[in-house]
Amino acid sequence: MNHSSFVIRKAVIEDAIGIARVHVDSWRSTYATIFPQEYLNRLSYEKREKLWINNIPLGGVYVAENEVGEIIGFSSGGEERSGKYNGFDGELYAIYLLEEYQRKGVGSALFAAVTTELKQKGYQSMLVLVVEDNHSYRFYEALGGGKIDSIEMDLAGEKYTEDVYGWRDITSLTLEINKRFTYR
């Protein structure tokens, strides 16, 4: 099956269950060798669905759909949450994709959707937190992000390191998004 055809659009409440599925399934594949298996096994679609029902109306949430209208990925962003990073006012909260759709341009398109909205809302800069052993840091580096900090996080009673990547000027961050991407 050719996975090159996808649509990026703003999320609506009805997308919450599809986003929840991608959220849980992609955590299970992305973090299988990083977080405890029993923690990953306990993740629930229902809890994530409630989270997204609350988050979608706040804005900054986008979905990627495949050619048959299934949600295969999502991104979200908004105001920088920690207040610790002078000169960074926006934050990419999440980009998650089902494993079989990775490295096909979907993540870049979801990234562009969030950065475009942040720019429209007047944000100048952006950061993202990446769990240290997660290889997605390469994706952010390829998009021009630079490592600015490392912080400690707690999950399931364990300590992990998160790296903070930043873009000081998103106003000039333009991506050559392939013409076949459809926005609606």
Side-chain angles (χ1 to χ4, degrees), residues 13-39:
I13 286 284
E14 292 75 24
D15 295 326
I17 186 61
I19 293 173
R21 283 182 204 283
V22 169
H23 204 167
V24 170
D25 294 351
S26 62
W27 262 64
R28 286 179 177 153
S29 62
T30 302
Y31 299 120
T33 58
I34 300 174
F35 295 147
Q37 192 58 53
E38 91 191 50
Y39 174 83

PDB file of all heavy atoms in Angstrom, residues 13-39:
ATOM      1  N   ILE A  13     -13.526  17.830  17.736  1.00  0.00           N
ATOM      2  CA  ILE A  13     -13.805  16.953  18.884  1.00  0.00           C
ATOM      3  C   ILE A  13     -13.956  15.489  18.470  1.00  0.00           C
ATOM      4  O   ILE A  13     -13.481  14.591  19.157  1.00  0.00           O
ATOM      5  CB  ILE A  13     -15.094  17.422  19.613  1.00  0.00           C
ATOM      6  CG1 ILE A  13     -14.813  18.709  20.409  1.00  0.00           C
ATOM      7  CG2 ILE A  13     -15.636  16.354  20.561  1.00  0.00           C
ATOM      8  CD1 ILE A  13     -14.043  18.509  21.690  1.00  0.00           C
ATOM      9  N   GLU A  14     -14.608  15.253  17.337  1.00  0.00           N
ATOM     10  CA  GLU A  14     -14.844  13.880  16.875  1.00  0.00           C
ATOM     11  C   GLU A  14     -13.538  13.125  16.593  1.00  0.00           C
ATOM     12  O   GLU A  14     -13.549  11.905  16.461  1.00  0.00           O
ATOM     13  CB  GLU A  14     -15.720  13.876  15.611  1.00  0.00           C
ATOM     14  CG  GLU A  14     -17.159  14.320  15.843  1.00  0.00           C
ATOM     15  CD  GLU A  14     -17.300  15.842  16.047  1.00  0.00           C
ATOM     16  OE1 GLU A  14     -16.423  16.613  15.590  1.00  0.00           O
ATOM     17  OE2 GLU A  14     -18.290  16.250  16.687  1.00  0.00           O
ATOM     18  N   ASP A  15     -12.433  13.841  16.488  1.00  0.00           N
ATOM     19  CA  ASP A  15     -11.132  13.209  16.241  1.00  0.00           C
ATOM     20  C   ASP A  15     -10.498  12.654  17.512  1.00  0.00           C
ATOM     21  O   ASP A  15      -9.471  11.970  17.438  1.00  0.00           O
ATOM     22  CB  ASP A  15     -10.149  14.223  15.632  1.00  0.00           C
ATOM     23  CG  ASP A  15     -10.577  14.688  14.255  1.00  0.00           C
ATOM     24  OD1 ASP A  15     -11.160  13.888  13.497  1.00  0.00           O
ATOM     25  OD2 ASP A  15     -10.304  15.872  13.933  1.00  0.00           O
ATOM     26  N   ALA A  16     -11.076  12.936  18.671  1.00  0.00           N
ATOM     27  CA  ALA A  16     -10.422  12.587  19.942  1.00  0.00           C
ATOM     28  C   ALA A  16     -10.068  11.103  20.032  1.00  0.00           C
ATOM     29  O   ALA A  16      -8.974  10.753  20.456  1.00  0.00           O
ATOM     30  CB  ALA A  16     -11.285  13.015  21.139  1.00  0.00           C
ATOM     31  N   ILE A  17     -10.967  10.222  19.614  1.00  0.00           N
ATOM     32  CA  ILE A  17     -10.686   8.788  19.728  1.00  0.00           C
ATOM     33  C   ILE A  17      -9.565   8.387  18.766  1.00  0.00           C
ATOM     34  O   ILE A  17      -8.687   7.605  19.129  1.00  0.00           O
ATOM     35  CB  ILE A  17     -11.953   7.908  19.563  1.00  0.00           C
ATOM     36  CG1 ILE A  17     -11.611   6.429  19.849  1.00  0.00           C
ATOM     37  CG2 ILE A  17     -12.575   8.053  18.187  1.00  0.00           C
ATOM     38  CD1 ILE A  17     -11.110   6.125  21.239  1.00  0.00           C
ATOM     39  N   GLY A  18      -9.569   8.924  17.549  1.00  0.00           N
ATOM     40  CA  GLY A  18      -8.507   8.617  16.590  1.00  0.00           C
ATOM     41  C   GLY A  18      -7.158   9.116  17.065  1.00  0.00           C
ATOM     42  O   GLY A  18      -6.135   8.432  16.924  1.00  0.00           O
ATOM     43  N   ILE A  19      -7.140  10.328  17.645  1.00  0.00           N
ATOM     44  CA  ILE A  19      -5.898  10.884  18.200  1.00  0.00           C
ATOM     45  C   ILE A  19      -5.438  10.014  19.370  1.00  0.00           C
ATOM     46  O   ILE A  19      -4.250   9.700  19.499  1.00  0.00           O
ATOM     47  CB  ILE A  19      -6.097  12.352  18.641  1.00  0.00           C
ATOM     48  CG1 ILE A  19      -6.346  13.240  17.414  1.00  0.00           C
ATOM     49  CG2 ILE A  19      -4.893  12.845  19.439  1.00  0.00           C
ATOM     50  CD1 ILE A  19      -6.735  14.678  17.764  1.00  0.00           C
ATOM     51  N   ALA A  20      -6.371   9.604  20.227  1.00  0.00           N
ATOM     52  CA  ALA A  20      -6.037   8.771  21.393  1.00  0.00           C
ATOM     53  C   ALA A  20      -5.385   7.460  20.944  1.00  0.00           C
ATOM     54  O   ALA A  20      -4.407   7.010  21.542  1.00  0.00           O
ATOM     55  CB  ALA A  20      -7.286   8.489  22.222  1.00  0.00           C
ATOM     56  N   ARG A  21      -5.914   6.855  19.875  1.00  0.00           N
ATOM     57  CA  ARG A  21      -5.342   5.598  19.374  1.00  0.00           C
ATOM     58  C   ARG A  21      -3.905   5.799  18.900  1.00  0.00           C
ATOM     59  O   ARG A  21      -3.020   5.006  19.217  1.00  0.00           O
ATOM     60  CB  ARG A  21      -6.183   5.046  18.217  1.00  0.00           C
ATOM     61  CG  ARG A  21      -7.448   4.382  18.651  1.00  0.00           C
ATOM     62  CD  ARG A  21      -8.204   3.811  17.437  1.00  0.00           C
ATOM     63  NE  ARG A  21      -9.621   3.691  17.722  1.00  0.00           N
ATOM     64  CZ  ARG A  21     -10.155   2.725  18.464  1.00  0.00           C
ATOM     65  NH1 ARG A  21      -9.376   1.811  18.992  1.00  0.00           N
ATOM     66  NH2 ARG A  21     -11.450   2.684  18.687  1.00  0.00           N
ATOM     67  N   VAL A  22      -3.688   6.875  18.118  1.00  0.00           N
ATOM     68  CA  VAL A  22      -2.334   7.162  17.633  1.00  0.00           C
ATOM     69  C   VAL A  22      -1.415   7.449  18.818  1.00  0.00           C
ATOM     70  O   VAL A  22      -0.275   6.981  18.863  1.00  0.00           O
ATOM     71  CB  VAL A  22      -2.336   8.351  16.643  1.00  0.00           C
ATOM     72  CG1 VAL A  22      -0.907   8.808  16.350  1.00  0.00           C
ATOM     73  CG2 VAL A  22      -3.050   7.971  15.354  1.00  0.00           C
ATOM     74  N   HIS A  23      -1.916   8.218  19.798  1.00  0.00           N
ATOM     75  CA  HIS A  23      -1.130   8.600  20.969  1.00  0.00           C
ATOM     76  C   HIS A  23      -0.630   7.342  21.703  1.00  0.00           C
ATOM     77  O   HIS A  23       0.574   7.185  21.942  1.00  0.00           O
ATOM     78  CB  HIS A  23      -2.009   9.443  21.895  1.00  0.00           C
ATOM     79  CG  HIS A  23      -1.252  10.344  22.807  1.00  0.00           C
ATOM     80  ND1 HIS A  23      -1.853  11.343  23.514  1.00  0.00           N
ATOM     81  CD2 HIS A  23       0.054  10.390  23.151  1.00  0.00           C
ATOM     82  CE1 HIS A  23      -0.952  11.974  24.259  1.00  0.00           C
ATOM     83  NE2 HIS A  23       0.214  11.412  24.051  1.00  0.00           N
ATOM     84  N   VAL A  24      -1.542   6.437  22.023  1.00  0.00           N
ATOM     85  CA  VAL A  24      -1.186   5.224  22.768  1.00  0.00           C
ATOM     86  C   VAL A  24      -0.319   4.298  21.916  1.00  0.00           C
ATOM     87  O   VAL A  24       0.735   3.827  22.362  1.00  0.00           O
ATOM     88  CB  VAL A  24      -2.461   4.503  23.262  1.00  0.00           C
ATOM     89  CG1 VAL A  24      -2.125   3.113  23.816  1.00  0.00           C
ATOM     90  CG2 VAL A  24      -3.164   5.345  24.336  1.00  0.00           C
ATOM     91  N   ASP A  25      -0.740   4.035  20.668  1.00  0.00           N
ATOM     92  CA  ASP A  25      -0.004   3.091  19.819  1.00  0.00           C
ATOM     93  C   ASP A  25       1.405   3.589  19.501  1.00  0.00           C
ATOM     94  O   ASP A  25       2.364   2.808  19.494  1.00  0.00           O
ATOM     95  CB  ASP A  25      -0.769   2.809  18.523  1.00  0.00           C
ATOM     96  CG  ASP A  25      -2.082   2.065  18.777  1.00  0.00           C
ATOM     97  OD1 ASP A  25      -2.315   1.621  19.916  1.00  0.00           O
ATOM     98  OD2 ASP A  25      -2.872   1.939  17.813  1.00  0.00           O
ATOM     99  N   SER A  26       1.540   4.893  19.255  1.00  0.00           N
ATOM    100  CA  SER A  26       2.868   5.413  18.931  1.00  0.00           C
ATOM    101  C   SER A  26       3.757   5.474  20.174  1.00  0.00           C
ATOM    102  O   SER A  26       4.962   5.270  20.080  1.00  0.00           O
ATOM    103  CB  SER A  26       2.783   6.768  18.219  1.00  0.00           C
ATOM    104  OG  SER A  26       2.177   7.722  19.044  1.00  0.00           O
ATOM    105  N   TRP A  27       3.166   5.733  21.356  1.00  0.00           N
ATOM    106  CA  TRP A  27       3.959   5.644  22.590  1.00  0.00           C
ATOM    107  C   TRP A  27       4.486   4.229  22.756  1.00  0.00           C
ATOM    108  O   TRP A  27       5.640   4.034  23.110  1.00  0.00           O
ATOM    109  CB  TRP A  27       3.105   6.034  23.812  1.00  0.00           C
ATOM    110  CG  TRP A  27       3.304   7.444  24.239  1.00  0.00           C
ATOM    111  CD1 TRP A  27       3.005   8.570  23.536  1.00  0.00           C
ATOM    112  CD2 TRP A  27       3.855   7.878  25.487  1.00  0.00           C
ATOM    113  NE1 TRP A  27       3.332   9.682  24.266  1.00  0.00           N
ATOM    114  CE2 TRP A  27       3.845   9.287  25.472  1.00  0.00           C
ATOM    115  CE3 TRP A  27       4.336   7.206  26.613  1.00  0.00           C
ATOM    116  CZ2 TRP A  27       4.321  10.044  26.538  1.00  0.00           C
ATOM    117  CZ3 TRP A  27       4.804   7.958  27.673  1.00  0.00           C
ATOM    118  CH2 TRP A  27       4.799   9.370  27.623  1.00  0.00           C
ATOM    119  N   ARG A  28       3.628   3.243  22.501  1.00  0.00           N
ATOM    120  CA  ARG A  28       4.039   1.850  22.700  1.00  0.00           C
ATOM    121  C   ARG A  28       5.163   1.455  21.753  1.00  0.00           C
ATOM    122  O   ARG A  28       6.045   0.692  22.131  1.00  0.00           O
ATOM    123  CB  ARG A  28       2.836   0.915  22.560  1.00  0.00           C
ATOM    124  CG  ARG A  28       1.931   1.011  23.781  1.00  0.00           C
ATOM    125  CD  ARG A  28       0.719   0.113  23.678  1.00  0.00           C
ATOM    126  NE  ARG A  28      -0.071   0.195  24.913  1.00  0.00           N
ATOM    127  CZ  ARG A  28      -1.368  -0.026  24.982  1.00  0.00           C
ATOM    128  NH1 ARG A  28      -2.052  -0.364  23.891  1.00  0.00           N
ATOM    129  NH2 ARG A  28      -1.998   0.077  26.132  1.00  0.00           N
ATOM    130  N   SER A  29       5.144   1.970  20.521  1.00  0.00           N
ATOM    131  CA  SER A  29       6.226   1.620  19.591  1.00  0.00           C
ATOM    132  C   SER A  29       7.465   2.498  19.812  1.00  0.00           C
ATOM    133  O   SER A  29       8.581   1.993  19.838  1.00  0.00           O
ATOM    134  CB  SER A  29       5.747   1.705  18.137  1.00  0.00           C
ATOM    135  OG  SER A  29       5.351   3.018  17.804  1.00  0.00           O
ATOM    136  N   THR A  30       7.264   3.795  20.035  1.00  0.00           N
ATOM    137  CA  THR A  30       8.389   4.725  20.185  1.00  0.00           C
ATOM    138  C   THR A  30       9.180   4.474  21.469  1.00  0.00           C
ATOM    139  O   THR A  30      10.400   4.545  21.481  1.00  0.00           O
ATOM    140  CB  THR A  30       7.888   6.190  20.196  1.00  0.00           C
ATOM    141  OG1 THR A  30       7.177   6.442  18.988  1.00  0.00           O
ATOM    142  CG2 THR A  30       9.029   7.182  20.337  1.00  0.00           C
ATOM    143  N   TYR A  31       8.459   4.206  22.562  1.00  0.00           N
ATOM    144  CA  TYR A  31       9.113   4.128  23.870  1.00  0.00           C
ATOM    145  C   TYR A  31       9.289   2.699  24.382  1.00  0.00           C
ATOM    146  O   TYR A  31       9.615   2.490  25.546  1.00  0.00           O
ATOM    147  CB  TYR A  31       8.335   4.964  24.888  1.00  0.00           C
ATOM    148  CG  TYR A  31       8.270   6.429  24.527  1.00  0.00           C
ATOM    149  CD1 TYR A  31       7.049   7.063  24.312  1.00  0.00           C
ATOM    150  CD2 TYR A  31       9.435   7.183  24.375  1.00  0.00           C
ATOM    151  CE1 TYR A  31       6.991   8.406  23.966  1.00  0.00           C
ATOM    152  CE2 TYR A  31       9.385   8.521  24.029  1.00  0.00           C
ATOM    153  CZ  TYR A  31       8.159   9.133  23.830  1.00  0.00           C
ATOM    154  OH  TYR A  31       8.104  10.460  23.492  1.00  0.00           O
ATOM    155  N   ALA A  32       9.115   1.706  23.508  1.00  0.00           N
ATOM    156  CA  ALA A  32       9.192   0.291  23.924  1.00  0.00           C
ATOM    157  C   ALA A  32      10.502  -0.038  24.618  1.00  0.00           C
ATOM    158  O   ALA A  32      10.524  -0.826  25.566  1.00  0.00           O
ATOM    159  CB  ALA A  32       8.984  -0.626  22.716  1.00  0.00           C
ATOM    160  N   THR A  33      11.607   0.553  24.162  1.00  0.00           N
ATOM    161  CA  THR A  33      12.909   0.244  24.759  1.00  0.00           C
ATOM    162  C   THR A  33      13.347   1.300  25.784  1.00  0.00           C
ATOM    163  O   THR A  33      14.449   1.228  26.317  1.00  0.00           O
ATOM    164  CB  THR A  33      13.995   0.158  23.661  1.00  0.00           C
ATOM    165  OG1 THR A  33      14.034   1.409  22.967  1.00  0.00           O
ATOM    166  CG2 THR A  33      13.690  -0.959  22.677  1.00  0.00           C
ATOM    167  N   ILE A  34      12.462   2.287  26.034  1.00  0.00           N
ATOM    168  CA  ILE A  34      12.839   3.398  26.919  1.00  0.00           C
ATOM    169  C   ILE A  34      12.066   3.355  28.241  1.00  0.00           C
ATOM    170  O   ILE A  34      12.659   3.392  29.316  1.00  0.00           O
ATOM    171  CB  ILE A  34      12.593   4.757  26.212  1.00  0.00           C
ATOM    172  CG1 ILE A  34      13.423   4.839  24.919  1.00  0.00           C
ATOM    173  CG2 ILE A  34      12.933   5.923  27.153  1.00  0.00           C
ATOM    174  CD1 ILE A  34      13.145   6.067  24.069  1.00  0.00           C
ATOM    175  N   PHE A  35      10.730   3.256  28.166  1.00  0.00           N
ATOM    176  CA  PHE A  35       9.891   3.254  29.372  1.00  0.00           C
ATOM    177  C   PHE A  35       9.516   1.816  29.749  1.00  0.00           C
ATOM    178  O   PHE A  35       9.497   0.938  28.887  1.00  0.00           O
ATOM    179  CB  PHE A  35       8.615   4.071  29.144  1.00  0.00           C
ATOM    180  CG  PHE A  35       8.858   5.547  28.924  1.00  0.00           C
ATOM    181  CD1 PHE A  35       8.027   6.263  28.074  1.00  0.00           C
ATOM    182  CD2 PHE A  35       9.898   6.220  29.553  1.00  0.00           C
ATOM    183  CE1 PHE A  35       8.229   7.632  27.854  1.00  0.00           C
ATOM    184  CE2 PHE A  35      10.105   7.581  29.343  1.00  0.00           C
ATOM    185  CZ  PHE A  35       9.270   8.290  28.495  1.00  0.00           C
ATOM    186  N   PRO A  36       9.179   1.591  31.033  1.00  0.00           N
ATOM    187  CA  PRO A  36       8.822   0.223  31.464  1.00  0.00           C
ATOM    188  C   PRO A  36       7.621  -0.320  30.674  1.00  0.00           C
ATOM    189  O   PRO A  36       6.638   0.393  30.469  1.00  0.00           O
ATOM    190  CB  PRO A  36       8.463   0.390  32.942  1.00  0.00           C
ATOM    191  CG  PRO A  36       9.038   1.707  33.358  1.00  0.00           C
ATOM    192  CD  PRO A  36       9.118   2.553  32.135  1.00  0.00           C
ATOM    193  N   GLN A  37       7.708  -1.583  30.279  1.00  0.00           N
ATOM    194  CA  GLN A  37       6.642  -2.205  29.485  1.00  0.00           C
ATOM    195  C   GLN A  37       5.304  -2.171  30.220  1.00  0.00           C
ATOM    196  O   GLN A  37       4.260  -1.931  29.633  1.00  0.00           O
ATOM    197  CB  GLN A  37       7.033  -3.643  29.138  1.00  0.00           C
ATOM    198  CG  GLN A  37       6.134  -4.265  28.078  1.00  0.00           C
ATOM    199  CD  GLN A  37       6.109  -3.473  26.768  1.00  0.00           C
ATOM    200  OE1 GLN A  37       7.155  -3.182  26.207  1.00  0.00           O
ATOM    201  NE2 GLN A  37       4.924  -3.111  26.292  1.00  0.00           N
ATOM    202  N   GLU A  38       5.336  -2.376  31.543  1.00  0.00           N
ATOM    203  CA  GLU A  38       4.068  -2.409  32.278  1.00  0.00           C
ATOM    204  C   GLU A  38       3.396  -1.026  32.267  1.00  0.00           C
ATOM    205  O   GLU A  38       2.171  -0.939  32.225  1.00  0.00           O
ATOM    206  CB  GLU A  38       4.248  -2.973  33.677  1.00  0.00           C
ATOM    207  CG  GLU A  38       4.542  -1.971  34.768  1.00  0.00           C
ATOM    208  CD  GLU A  38       4.972  -2.632  36.074  1.00  0.00           C
ATOM    209  OE1 GLU A  38       5.883  -3.487  36.039  1.00  0.00           O
ATOM    210  OE2 GLU A  38       4.421  -2.273  37.115  1.00  0.00           O
ATOM    211  N   TYR A  39       4.194   0.032  32.271  1.00  0.00           N
ATOM    212  CA  TYR A  39       3.619   1.385  32.153  1.00  0.00           C
ATOM    213  C   TYR A  39       2.945   1.546  30.782  1.00  0.00           C
ATOM    214  O   TYR A  39       1.820   2.021  30.674  1.00  0.00           O
ATOM    215  CB  TYR A  39       4.698   2.460  32.336  1.00  0.00           C
ATOM    216  CG  TYR A  39       4.173   3.858  32.083  1.00  0.00           C
ATOM    217  CD1 TYR A  39       3.511   4.560  33.084  1.00  0.00           C
ATOM    218  CD2 TYR A  39       4.312   4.462  30.829  1.00  0.00           C
ATOM    219  CE1 TYR A  39       3.005   5.829  32.845  1.00  0.00           C
ATOM    220  CE2 TYR A  39       3.803   5.722  30.587  1.00  0.00           C
ATOM    221  CZ  TYR A  39       3.154   6.403  31.597  1.00  0.00           C
ATOM    222  OH  TYR A  39       2.646   7.660  31.354  1.00  0.00           O
TER     223      TYR A  39
END
